[in-house]
């Protein structure tokens, strides 16, 4: 074995060395945290179960000499040992990858063709103010970018990746789409700017711009397709040309001007010219500070060029902050120097006519500063048709420089480098967006090719977009949109940094510390303000596009989960703060909400129970699905909880899911009643499914069920019991005796990968039309029996349903009782349709409970005590007689319900409260008798005898 193989083997052993506690327990290593994203696991770290059983395993196995047990090893990062070495992809440092790239994109055609015009109109002082204001916006954004880029590993995707992993895909998706499109349009704009340099040679200006533009962008595409290495070399060439061009200009300012240069207004450094050009001279309808600001600001949009190729950087966390800030510094110096030097050398107006030179010292009638230098430009100044000078010519820099063709080369380099930079940036961002699958039909462009994972398909798409807008050849309107798109991106980047800082998330730990959450907030606000100051209609269009894309993503709820969503941190902080503040709020009847603990078991096995409670709690109050797992059946897959939560989310049920392991239903329910909820967000109502198979169940199971009801009342909880007669019967797939998943039910591991095909539709998801909701308010429970149907009628599916209230009364005073109830409902502001008074509600129940009677007083020769000990759940004759009247009333009430409510959509009946000495079987017989024989859902409901309705304005 060669020395390199031994070295690699030794390095792997070093990475897997054990701690002092155990041969399996490893010391902390960076590699252990490589799999911290969702659905990824660090393969090298042993599980807790393995560590707990390590002693047993070690006794039967041998370890290596180093003390490391023979667990499967991973060679992450050492794949080179298993085959021929592949050439590593090209990666760039902070100078070439970020600084040079940003400087090239900031140095655009505006520098050479518009800066002199801005200096002329705004003056040197205000031009510096415009430059410094732009720098403030870009510098604050660069600080925010630096903070986000150093808060963990940054991969390909640039600004989109940063925003989506900070603010979440709901915000990152729209910005990624708009930012990619803006980069493609910026490529088209710079290409057109390059083509317009040839306008002096053009015959048909529009068509020639189209031809030159398409040819140029095609050449740039070929350079991009050749790979990042070739593109980087081309950018370096452009950078050298620009440096030579700047040097040529600076040298030209010191060369004494010739007569030809003086004729076009160039006189070298003069204090009087400098003083004259310090103050503004607004001209034309567009002559204003903010108009000049709007013309200059697009030159600052290149600060994200380095961040946009973050996947091609050796160390993005170091390269992006250093390269971006250095690029802003040097380009700011260049803009300031060029504006002040050109303002100190060139007068605002000149004719370019050599005959305008003054002879002698005669200056009578001469207008303008040039008179002191021996030139008379009065005629063109007064007629306002001067074609040369700082205010009239876009070629001033070339005229000032030593060799004018080097400035032309600089214009070519600036426009082509910017176009090439945007042509590369747009596909890189769009590829990352496509891979996140946030929007439909764009996954085709996610594929990468070669060692650098080049987005060739996205390159072609960007090329097509650029060509389409080049063919328009009139991009002034689109240019306003581009500035707004970039400003919107800057605003979101700054806001994401502010948001992440102010939420105090433990995961927000940027290694770049030279930022402030308040400067980030300032950057976000000032970017939005500038959007409306520049072009208000373009700002409105930008926001409309952003809101539309945001609404689409928010509505479809993307499955992207590997994002550090600061909205989660903000929501968490708000929820925590509000939950604590709620604890200090006193309970009041007007604040009552039915907060439900629903014993659903696995929610996908009892969809009717879930849908019923969700119908009146969604967007109103708390819902917790409790799943009591028997100890004897506690083996479940680890991902079951996540699968059941996804099932509820796809069903659009707003509920928490709480599994709980217990020995029995009663024990689990008792603990859930005590421990569920947080502060005021604590359940006050228990919801059960009716135990329809109670006749065939064991006595222990019946006792367990009824004792759960008793515990509910003892805990001062309200109680609802739902019974389904038709359709999906909740007891067919789920029994309180057996809490294991039913073979007919949907498996949790199938939930996450399917659409809605696994969703069983229940009656509560149907439009109820004009059917009635019948409420049998037999006992005054505080008003919960009326509140629940009222909340149901506020839902879209139930809003046409009519609520009828049935009450018990005397036949002689029936009308009086009805009027009293109508008056009460009106004072409660419950718009219920009808009140019906029931009389004669007694009937024999003997046949229903005959199998469960003890008949102890009719036995001869048998000890009554022995009978009761052998069958303690049976009803004695004494107990039967004691509860006979109540039993007869349940039978009669059921007959009334079946007669009046056969066509109702839902029936609610006051739940009878059992006496402490009432046998469990007799109580179950009451519940069964009350609810049998109907084809609609029946709810047995009981408040906790405390008011939940009031007619006072409190």
């Amino acid at each position: 074995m060669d020395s390199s193989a031994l070295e690699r083997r030794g390095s792997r052993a070093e990475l897997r060395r054990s701690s002092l506690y155990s041969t399996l327990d490893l010391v902390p290593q960076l590699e252990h945290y490589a799999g911290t994203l969702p659905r990824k696991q660090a393969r090298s770290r042993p599980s807790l179960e393995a560590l707990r059983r390590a002693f047993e395993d070690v006794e039967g196995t041998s370890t290596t000499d180093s003390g490391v047990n023979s667990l499967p090893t991973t060679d992450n990062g050492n794949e080179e040992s298993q085959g021929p070495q592949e050439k590593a992809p090209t990666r760039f440092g902070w100078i070439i990858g970020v600084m040079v790239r940003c400087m090239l994109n900031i140095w655009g055609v505006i520098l050479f063709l518009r800066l002199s015009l801005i200096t002329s109109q705004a003056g040197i002082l205000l031009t510096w103010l415009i430059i410094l204001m732009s720098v403030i916006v870009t510098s604050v954004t660069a600080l925010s970018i630096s903070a986000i880029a150093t808060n963990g590993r940054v991969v390909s995707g640039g600004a989109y990746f940063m925003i989506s992993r900070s603010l979440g895909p709901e915000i990152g998706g729209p910005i990624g789409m708009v930012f990619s499109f803006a980069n493609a349009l910026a490529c088209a704009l710079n290409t057109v700017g390059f083509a317009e340099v040839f306008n002096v040679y053009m015959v048909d200006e529009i068509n020639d711009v189209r031809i030159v533009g398409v040819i140029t962008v095609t050449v740039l595409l070929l350079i991009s397709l050749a790979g990042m290495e070739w593109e980087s070399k081309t950018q370096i060439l452009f950078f050298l040309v620009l440096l030579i061009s700047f040097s040529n200009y600076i040298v030209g300012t010191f060369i004494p001007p010739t007569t030809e240069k003086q004729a076009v207004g160039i006189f070298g450094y003069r204090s009087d010219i400098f003083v004259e050009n310090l103050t503004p001279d607004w001209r034309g309808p567009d002559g204003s500070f903010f108009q000049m600001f709007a013309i200059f600001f697009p030159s600052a949009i290149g600060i994200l060029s380095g961040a946009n190729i973050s996947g091609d950087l050796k160390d993005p966390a170091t390269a992006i902050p250093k390269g971006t800030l250095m690029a802003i510094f040097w380009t700011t110096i260049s803009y300031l120097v060029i504006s002040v030097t050109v303002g100190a050398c060139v007068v605002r107006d000149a004719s370019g006519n050599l005959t305008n030179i003054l002879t002698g010292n005669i200056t009578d009638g001469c207008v303008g500063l040039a008179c002191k230098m021996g030139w008379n430009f009065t005629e063109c100044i007064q007629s306002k048709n001067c074609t040369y000078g700082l205010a009239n010519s876009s070629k001033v820099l070339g005229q000032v420089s030593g060799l004018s063709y080097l400035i032309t080369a600089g214009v070519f380099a600036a426009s082509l480098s910017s176009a090439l930079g945007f042509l590369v940036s747009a596909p890189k961002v769009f590829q990352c967006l496509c891979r996140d699958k946030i929007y439909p039909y764009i996954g085709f462009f996610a594929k990468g090719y070669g060692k650098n994972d080049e987005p060739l398909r996205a390159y072609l798409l960007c090329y097509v977009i650029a060509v389409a807008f080049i063919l328009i050849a009139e991009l002034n309107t689109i240019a306003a949109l581009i500035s707004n798109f970039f400003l919107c991106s800057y605003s979101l980047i700054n806001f994401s940094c502010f948001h992440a800082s102010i939420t105090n998330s433990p995961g927000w730990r940027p290694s770049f510390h030279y930022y402030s959450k308040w400067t980030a907030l300032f950057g976000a606000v000032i970017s939005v303000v500038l959007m409306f100051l520049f072009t208000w209609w373009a700002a409105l269009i930008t926001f409309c596009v952003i809101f539309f894309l945001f609404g689409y993503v928010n509505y479809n709820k993307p499955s992207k989960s590997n994002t550090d969503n600061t909205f989660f941190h903000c929501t968490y902080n708000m929820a925590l703060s509000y939950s604590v503040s709620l604890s200090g709020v006193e309970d009041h009847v007007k604040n009552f909400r039915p907060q439900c603990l629903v014993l659903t078991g696995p929610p996908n096995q009892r969809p009717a129970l879930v849908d019923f409670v969700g119908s009146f709690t969604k967007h109103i109050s708390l819902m917790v699905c409790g799943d009591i797992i028997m100890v004897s059946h506690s083996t479940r897959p680890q991902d079951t909880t996540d699968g059941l939560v996804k099932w509820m989310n796809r069903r659009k049920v707003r509920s928490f899911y709480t599994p709980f392991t217990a020995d029995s239903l009663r024990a689990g329910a008792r603990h859930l009643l005590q421990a569920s909820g947080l502060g005021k967000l604590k359940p006050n109502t228990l919801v059960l499914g009716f135990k329809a198979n109670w006749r065939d169940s064991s006595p222990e199971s019946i006792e367990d069920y009824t004792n759960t009801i008793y515990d509910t009342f003892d805990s001062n909880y309200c109680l609802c019991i739902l019974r389904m007669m038709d359709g999906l019967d909740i007891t067919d797939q789920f029994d309180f005796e057996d809490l294991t998943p039913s073979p007919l039910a949907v498996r949790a591991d199938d939930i996450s990968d399917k659409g809605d095909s696994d969703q069983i539709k229940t009656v509560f998801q149907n439009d109820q039309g004009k059917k009635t909701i019948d409420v049998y308010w037999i006992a005054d429970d505080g008003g919960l029996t009326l509140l629940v149907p009222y909340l149901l009628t506020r839902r879209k599916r139930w809003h046409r349903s009519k609520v009828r209230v049935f009450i018990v009364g005397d036949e002689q005073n029936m009308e009086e009782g009805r009027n009293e109830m109508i008056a009460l409902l009106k004072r409660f502001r419950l718009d219920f349709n009808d009140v019906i008074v029931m009389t004669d509600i007694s009937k024999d129940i003997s046949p229903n409970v005959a199998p469960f009677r003890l008949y102890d007083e009719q036995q001869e020769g048998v000890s009554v005590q022995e009978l009761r000990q052998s069958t303690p759940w049976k009803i004695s004759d004494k107990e039967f007689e004691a509860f006979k009247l109540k039993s007869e009333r349940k039978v009669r009430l059921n007959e009334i319900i079946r007669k009046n409510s056969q066509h109702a959509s839902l029936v609610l009946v006051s739940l009878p409260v059992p006496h402490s000495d009432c046998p469990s079987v007799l109580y179950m017989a009451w519940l069964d008798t009350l609810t049998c024989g109907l084809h609609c859902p029946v709810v047995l409901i009981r408040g906790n005898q405390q008011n939940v309705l009031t007619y006072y304005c409190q």
Side-chain angles (χ1 to χ4, degrees), residues 10 52 125 233 269 309 330 442 444 622 654 787 802 872:
R52 294 183 65 194
L125 292 178
K233 291 178 180 178
Y269 290 108
I309 63 162
W330 289 116
I442 61 174
F444 174 80
L622 175 70
R654 290 201 169 191
L787 182 62
K802 298 180 179 180

Side-chain angles (χ1 to χ4, degrees), residues 356-472:
N356 289 143
I357 192 171
L358 289 173
T359 57
N361 294 323
I362 302 174
T363 60
D364 295 340
C366 185
V367 177
L369 188 62
C371 298
K372 298 180 180 179
M373 276 77 78
W375 289 84
N376 185 4
F377 301 135
T378 304
E379 183 179 353
C380 77
I381 291 174
Q382 291 179 342
S383 60
K384 298 181 180 180
N385 62 355
C386 295
T387 55
Y388 292 96
L390 199 62
N392 306 293
S393 175
S394 62
K395 300 178 182 180
V396 169
L397 295 187
Q399 295 165 349
V400 172
S401 62
L403 300 173
S404 60
Y405 63 84
L406 288 180
I407 292 296
T408 304
V411 175
F412 289 170
S415 56
L416 291 178
S417 64
S418 297
L420 182 59
F422 288 122
L423 182 62
V424 170
S425 297
K428 294 283 186 181
V429 175
F430 192 62
Q431 182 188 36
C432 185
L433 174 65
C434 295
R435 285 179 172 172
D436 285 350
K437 299 178 181 179
I438 292 177
Y439 294 103
Y441 312 119
I442 61 174
F444 174 80
F445 300 100
K447 185 174 177 58
Y449 296 86
K451 61 184 181 181
N452 275 52
D453 195 29
E454 295 290 346
L456 302 186
R457 296 176 179 177
Y459 277 133
L460 294 175
L461 176 63
C462 179
Y463 170 77
V464 170
I465 295 174
V467 168
F469 284 92
I470 288 171
L471 293 177
I472 296 175

